Amino acid sequence: MKKEEILKKARQDEDEMELSILAQSLGISTITIPVLCIIFIVVRMINSEYIVSDLVAITLAQLSMSQLYQAIKMKKVILFITGIITLILMIIFTIGFINEVRI
C-alpha cells in the first residue's frame, strides 16, 4: 500500500468513527429529553401545577422531528405516519400551552 492510500483509509475510518459517535450521542439525547420531561411533568403534577403542556410539546417536537427525519432518509411509511401524528400532537399541546399561560 502506498502512503497516500494508507492516509486516505485512516481518514475514512476516522470519519466513520465520528459518524458513529454522533449517531450514538443523538440516540442518547433522544432518550434523555423525553425521560427528563416526564420526570418534570410528574413533579409538577405532584405539586399541583397542572400546566404541563409545554414539556409535552417539547417531548413531542423532539420525537416528531426524529421520526420524520428517519422516514425521509429510510423511506419508511410507518415512521412518516408516526412523525406526522406526533407533529400534530405537538402543535395541539403548543396551542394549549399558549392558551394556559395567557393572563
Side-chain angles (χ1 to χ4, degrees):
M1 239 190 227
K2 293 182 181 179
K3 182 180 177 181
E4 293 83 24
E5 291 174 358
I6 294 171
L7 288 173
K8 184 177 178 182
K9 174 114 172 78
R11 283 189 205 110
Q12 287 175 341
D13 289 345
E14 187 176 316
D15 289 344
E16 289 174 13
M17 183 183 73
E18 286 178 6
L19 289 174
S20 174
I21 291 170
L22 176 63
Q24 291 171 354
S25 70
L26 292 174
I28 291 169
S29 71
T30 299
I31 294 168
T32 304
I33 292 169
V35 168
L36 276 176
C37 284
I38 290 168
I39 290 169
F40 295 154
I41 288 168
V42 170
V43 169
R44 282 183 177 182
M45 292 179 86
I46 289 170
N47 290 324
S48 300
E49 297 176 24
Y50 294 103
I51 298 178
V52 296
S53 54
D54 56 339
L55 295 173
V56 175
I58 291 168
T59 302
L60 290 170
Q62 191 274 328
L63 291 173
S64 67
M65 293 301 110
S66 175
Q67 289 173 340
L68 289 172
Y69 182 80
Q70 290 175 47
I72 291 166
K73 292 296 183 181
M74 295 189 288
K75 298 181 181 4
K76 291 193 175 184
V77 175
I78 190 68
L79 288 173
F80 183 74
I81 292 169
T82 56
I84 293 296
I85 291 169
T86 52
L87 180 64
I88 292 168
L89 289 171
M90 183 269 301
I91 292 168
I92 291 169
F93 276 96
T94 300
I95 292 169
F97 173 72
I98 291 168
N99 288 331
E100 287 174 345
V101 296
R102 268 193 204 148
I103 297 174

